[in-house]
Structures are given as C-alpha cells and as structure tokens.
Amino acid sequence: MRESHTQIYEPPLADHSLPSAQPDQRSQARYSNVEARSPVNKISYKSLVTASSPSDYGSFRDSETGNRYVNGSHWAAVLDSITDLKNHLRPEDEATSSYLDQSLSSDQNPAPQLLYPSEMNDTPAAIVAGLPPRPVVDRLVSYFFNVEISQGVLHSGQFLREYEQFWKSPEETSIIWVGLLLTIMCLSIYCQDAVAGDVQAAAETVAGTHTLQPRRQDKRALADSYKTKAIKCLHMGHYTKGGPHVLETLILYVLIEWFHLEDMDFSVSVLVANMVQIALHMGYHRDARHFPSISLFDGEMRRRVWAMIVQLDFSVSAQLGLPGVLRHSHVETSRPRNLYDHDFDVNTKILADSRPENEVTPVLYTIAKLRLVTVGRKVMDVVTDRLPTSYSATVDIDEEINDARDSLPSSLQWKGIASALNSSSLTILLTIFLECITLNLKVVLHKTFLEPEYYEKKHQSARKICLDAALRLLALQHLVEEEIQPGGLLYESRWRISTSVISPFLLATSVFCFYLQSLAKRKRRGEATDLDVGVDERDVKTALQKSLEIWVRRGSRSREARKAAIAVHHILGNPGDSPELPMPPHDFESPAPESAFHSAAAISYFPEVGQVYDFSGAALYYGVDDVAWPAFAGKSQGAMFGTQYGGYA
C-alpha cells in the first residue's frame, strides 16, 4: 500500500447551489418524487434566438468515410467550437483515421457482425455438436457467474436448471438459448484473458520470454468463433420477432462487441437501438404487474433486463452525442428489487420485499445507477431540444441531480480516497464511476453558461458549478491513472476501465480548453471582469497538463485521445505543431503502452458477495481471487456517463 495519493479537488456539491434552489434534507423518500416533477419548462425560441451560439447546434463533419453529427454538449462539438483549434484538429483527424483504419487487417469482418452476417451454412445440430466437452463449458459458465458479468440479467438458479436440461436433451433446446450459452462462453474467455494477460505479460518481460502473444491470439480466435456461432443462433432463431432469451442474448452480445473498443463506435448504437425496439415490441417498457399472465418471477426478471437496456441506450447514445431511443415518457416499468437470486424463483407466489441497500446484491449497482440515469435522460432531453430551456428549469434539474446523488447507497457514494481505504478495488471503482456520472451531468447541464452571451451576474453560480465539476472530473482522471499502476488501489480492476468511463474526462478536458481560450480572448480585449472568477486559472492549467500526459499515452490506440492531446497541447501554448504522439501499432493485438487506460466492457457490475455457484468438476482457468469484477459507468453527451459493462451501462 502506498502512502501518498493524488489529492482530489472536492468542493462540496451543495456549496454552489444555484439561485432560488431551496436547501432541504435529501433522501430516498424525496427522490421517489423526482420523476413526478413537472416537465422541463421551455421559453419562446423567438425570445432567445439571438442568444444561441454555434455550438448549440452541434458539430457536423463530412469526410470520405462518411458524415458524423454530435450535439452541442458532446466534447468534440466543444472543441470544434474553438476557432483557434480547427486548423490543428482537422488534419490530425484525417491522418489518424486513415492510419488507424489501415492498421486493421484487410480481411477483418466489419463489426458488429450481427449487422453483417456471414454465410449461414451451419445447422442447429452442427452448432451444438461443435461445442467443447462439458467440463470445458462448465468452467466457462462457472467463471461467468462467479465473476458476475451479467449484472443480474440472468437468474443463476433458473439458468443452471436450463443448463442441466440442455445436456440431457440438447436437441430439444431452443437455438436462441444455445446462442445465449455461446455468448457466456465468449465473454468468459475475454474476461479471463483481460484479467490474466497483463500479469503474465509482466512475468514474461522479466523472464525474457515471448510466448504469451501467440497464446492470447489463439484464445481470442476461440472466443471469436463462439461469437460467430452465437450470431448464427440469433439469425436461425429469428431474433427480431422476440421471444424467450432473445434480449438476454442480445445484451451479452452487445457487451462482447463493446469489450475491446478504445473509442465508441456508432454501429454499437445501431445494435442497442434494435434491441430497444425489440424490447418495446415485447412490452418490457410496461411493468409486469399490469399483466396477470406474467408470473412474479418473470416480472422481476423483465425489470432486471429492462434496467440494463435503459442504461445501455443512455450510455451509448450519450457517448456518441446523439439522442437516445428512449424518452422519459416511454417508461413506467418499476426498478428491480434489491434481491439475491436465492430470494425468488419460478415457484415464488409472493415476491420478497427489497433488501436494505447496505446489502450488496448483484443488482444494487444497477438500482443506484438508474437513479442517475433517470435524471440523466432529462438532462439529455434538455441539451438536445430545439428550444432553449428556462433558467429556472435548469435550477430544478440541478436540484434533481443533487437529490439523485444523495439517494445513492452510502457504500456507493464517493467521499474521497481517504474514506475508501477499507473498500475493495471494485467498490472504489464503482463509486468513482457514479461520481463521474454525477459530475458529468452537471457539466453538460451548465456548459451553456460558459458562452459569452450568458456572462451575467445571475449565471455566475451556474458557471462555477460547471467549472468545479469539470475540475473534479480531471482530478478523478488523475487519481484513476495513478491507482491503476502496479501496487495501486485500482490495479486489480484496471482492465475494467471502459470508453464510458473515459468520456467524462474528455468532456472536462474540452470544457477547460474552451474556457481558457475564451478567458484569454476577453483579457486581450480588456473585457475580463469579476464575472470570470470561477476556478483558479493556474489550477486549470496544472490539471490539463497532467491530463495531456494521459491523453498522449492513450493516443496510440484512440482517435479521441489523440484529438484531446492536440487540443490541450495548443491551448496550453506548448511549443511545436503537436505533442509527440505515438503512432498506432499495426498489430492491434499488441500490448497497449504502459500505464494507459485498459479497455474493457462498457458496463458496470457489482459482485454478489457471499454467493458462490457450485459446478460438478468445474475449475476456473484463473483463481477467483485473481479476477477483477467488471464495472459499469456512463457517459454523457459525448462524455456523459457510463452505463458500465455496463457501469460497464
């Protein structure tokens, strides 16, 4: 355990409440009324049309590879609105895109493969016959449940009953269920490789041997073969019609496609949009209590599945700077209860009450994150709406963000690193994820008030909230980067850092680039006043310099990181046309640069403490103690959250 840690800039969230916000005791009881508040107030477009800035309309790029639009709250739109950066970012975007695209093998199939199916020359019988021996499958299934990859989407007891029946009569098993099993096997191999790969690579470096890479490639090829077969199962089962196990299989498949992404890909949002439409077709957006034909067990599992779909839709769309498929008015499904799998089964006649939130069940993190996502959808609606939002409505939504944060389970509320020293690596990471979502929402909501046309006394509090939240996000970025190093508090969970976690850091970076450029312009014109006082300019530049080092390290694999590095380099006035960025490796299977964030699924998980699944003859490839549990965080509009692997959604 190291003795020193990065100090986090943490002004209390309530210290800078907006004008007219009434202080009160926030609690879960009050939070239950948040969703019932009146809709966001809009004001006449005509009355504010002159106040709109170019970034309000978003950013549009037209290139040889296609068109891309992101809304005004996306971090890329913020950078594009900085005139001084345009000549530096555009050439780098084109050069990097070309180089990264060429780095991919020319025969690689387009992803996600579900959208580009290959030849359907297999039959259900052939796919089942191609499964490895049962002891091998047992180990992968055991790993899946013990590492809690599904965040409660699958009921362990029910699945194991179906699993046993499958081996007794595989020919009678639904082909969609077989696809579900294959996605479990694929994810287990991905996670095993992510957990053990770095440790083994370090050992080989010390020993001077080089046998890991071929073996990792073999394992990846095996996992990809399971993914391909799962896709064939979905097609053979006509998945677009819905039915049992379809949504569960699609959720795990989305996690597979997300697992190795360094930058969020638009095609993943197409997958999620299709999944949302199938869920709507199957009535998951309506609570099961309205339909007597749905059993108590099925009703609760539908709530769990729907909760994951809502988080995926929110996280993916926010990372891409686009409106989500779902709207607040679409949904009336209740949140799942805080229950262990052994609390209910298919024979349950009376569903148990939700356990206290100091009991960590597999769905506790999902429940907590949904509270932030509920407010987050309102924020997304505001920033993507054609009409400006009234200032009083912004005040109300800011209060809802505070309420949602205060309603989180105490074990998942970030109180600083000193208060987390007795927590597990996973718990620390999950609390950081949720804190990033909260801070990101505040930045997105208040970013507009950094525009010159809003430099009035009454908006000063909103600007300070935005800048404070952005500075705290960068402090968390620095803390995470420090603690994922060997010996750090997050080292064993480092591989779970996903695109949805990195996105809020990108937004904070872009906001400060915009702020420093605007501040410099006003100073040159002699327009700076006491209204510019928000955060210490020296603190901002120091934080950006630290972030620059992180973005440079990530730049060999991430287009987004390269763009952020170039922007910060120029805003800080560093010499040279651009920072010394490492070129992308031609071999994308080679290890990432040391101390860079490691990619993982983009959704978060919470372990089911104290519950272990017993499989006859099962033995994990790696010990459970060596496993890092996936974590789910969200992004906001181009940086909003992490519905992680979820958290990762």
Side-chain angles (χ1 to χ4, degrees), residues 467 471 474 512-513 515-516 535-546 572:
L467 296 174
L471 197 57
L474 292 189
F512 277 131
C513 286
Y515 172 73
L516 289 179
V535 294
D536 192 309
E537 184 178 352
R538 292 169 299 181
D539 291 341
V540 172
K541 290 183 177 180
T542 299
L544 282 180
Q545 187 62 47
K546 290 182 180 179
L572 293 180

XYZ file of all heavy atoms in Angstrom, residues 467 471 474 512-513 515-516 535-546 572:
166
model
N -17.568 24.587 -13.864
C -16.110 24.542 -13.795
C -15.622 23.706 -12.615
O -14.638 22.964 -12.732
C -15.559 25.965 -13.712
C -15.828 26.848 -14.944
C -15.379 28.276 -14.690
C -15.141 26.275 -16.181
N -13.306 20.362 -13.006
C -12.017 20.232 -12.326
C -11.983 18.962 -11.481
O -10.952 18.274 -11.402
C -11.770 21.464 -11.455
C -10.321 21.689 -10.982
C -9.366 21.781 -12.164
C -10.234 22.943 -10.136
N -11.325 15.942 -13.782
C -9.920 15.754 -14.135
C -9.123 15.226 -12.948
O -8.199 14.425 -13.122
C -9.324 17.070 -14.636
C -9.855 17.592 -15.975
C -9.023 18.773 -16.457
C -9.879 16.491 -17.035
N -12.516 22.892 -20.437
C -11.456 23.786 -19.976
C -10.662 24.373 -21.137
O -10.146 25.495 -21.035
C -10.537 23.067 -18.995
C -11.067 23.058 -17.595
C -11.118 21.892 -16.853
C -11.537 24.225 -17.008
C -11.623 21.888 -15.560
C -12.046 24.228 -15.715
C -12.084 23.064 -14.992
N -10.534 23.632 -22.232
C -9.922 24.225 -23.421
C -10.748 25.420 -23.892
O -10.205 26.489 -24.216
C -9.815 23.183 -24.532
S -8.531 21.938 -24.277
N -12.854 27.188 -22.052
C -12.833 28.228 -21.018
C -11.543 29.050 -21.087
O -11.576 30.294 -21.040
C -12.972 27.574 -19.647
C -12.774 28.517 -18.483
C -13.740 29.461 -18.140
C -11.609 28.476 -17.721
C -13.557 30.330 -17.071
C -11.418 29.340 -16.652
C -12.394 30.262 -16.331
O -12.207 31.131 -15.292
N -10.388 28.387 -21.203
C -9.123 29.115 -21.238
C -9.000 29.975 -22.486
O -8.488 31.103 -22.437
C -7.953 28.128 -21.161
C -7.742 27.428 -19.819
C -6.555 26.470 -19.902
C -7.532 28.432 -18.690
N -12.817 29.304 -11.245
C -11.795 28.475 -10.629
C -10.457 29.137 -10.907
O -10.332 29.983 -11.791
C -11.815 27.044 -11.205
C -13.100 26.329 -10.836
C -11.649 27.067 -12.717
N -9.462 28.752 -10.153
C -8.133 29.333 -10.318
C -7.557 28.889 -11.662
O -7.459 27.695 -11.948
C -7.235 28.875 -9.176
C -5.934 29.657 -9.116
O -5.255 29.767 -10.154
O -5.606 30.158 -8.024
N -7.161 29.852 -12.479
C -6.634 29.545 -13.801
C -5.398 28.663 -13.713
O -5.178 27.783 -14.556
C -6.310 30.844 -14.538
C -5.850 30.645 -15.971
C -5.582 31.968 -16.669
O -5.910 33.031 -16.086
O -5.042 31.943 -17.786
N -4.590 28.856 -12.681
C -3.398 28.028 -12.522
C -3.768 26.575 -12.222
O -3.104 25.648 -12.711
C -2.525 28.597 -11.403
C -1.883 29.950 -11.723
C -1.258 30.562 -10.489
N -2.264 30.808 -9.452
C -1.988 31.356 -8.264
N -0.747 31.680 -7.962
N -2.949 31.554 -7.377
N -4.831 26.371 -11.430
C -5.284 25.004 -11.148
C -5.753 24.319 -12.424
O -5.501 23.125 -12.632
C -6.414 25.020 -10.125
C -5.943 25.430 -8.737
O -4.725 25.350 -8.478
O -6.796 25.836 -7.918
N -6.446 25.079 -13.269
C -6.941 24.514 -14.525
C -5.784 24.092 -15.415
O -5.770 22.978 -15.971
C -7.840 25.532 -15.252
C -8.199 25.024 -16.648
C -9.105 25.802 -14.449
N -4.789 24.943 -15.567
C -3.660 24.624 -16.443
C -2.844 23.454 -15.895
O -2.373 22.598 -16.663
C -2.782 25.858 -16.621
C -3.439 26.955 -17.451
C -2.506 28.132 -17.668
C -3.159 29.180 -18.574
N -2.268 30.347 -18.810
N -2.701 23.394 -14.585
C -1.984 22.266 -13.983
C -2.723 20.955 -14.236
O -2.120 19.923 -14.576
C -1.818 22.484 -12.469
O -1.061 23.673 -12.243
C -1.107 21.299 -11.829
N -4.049 20.999 -14.071
C -4.854 19.789 -14.297
C -4.796 19.368 -15.761
O -4.681 18.176 -16.074
C -6.305 20.045 -13.884
N -4.860 20.330 -16.684
C -4.798 19.999 -18.110
C -3.430 19.422 -18.487
O -3.347 18.524 -19.339
C -5.093 21.231 -18.953
C -6.563 21.644 -19.081
C -6.690 22.898 -19.946
C -7.405 20.516 -19.679
N -2.366 19.925 -17.886
C -1.043 19.401 -18.198
C -0.932 17.936 -17.778
O -0.364 17.110 -18.499
C 0.034 20.231 -17.495
C 1.457 19.858 -17.887
C 1.727 20.074 -19.369
O 1.397 21.111 -19.935
N 2.318 19.071 -20.011
N -1.485 17.587 -16.615
C -1.485 16.195 -16.184
C -2.327 15.334 -17.127
O -1.944 14.208 -17.477
C -2.025 16.086 -14.760
C -1.105 16.654 -13.689
C -1.716 16.452 -12.302
C -0.826 17.016 -11.209
N -1.437 16.833 -9.862
N -2.518 25.139 -24.105
C -1.527 25.467 -23.084
C -0.324 26.209 -23.654
O 0.589 26.595 -22.913
C -1.060 24.196 -22.368
C -2.104 23.479 -21.509
C -1.498 22.236 -20.854
C -2.685 24.409 -20.446
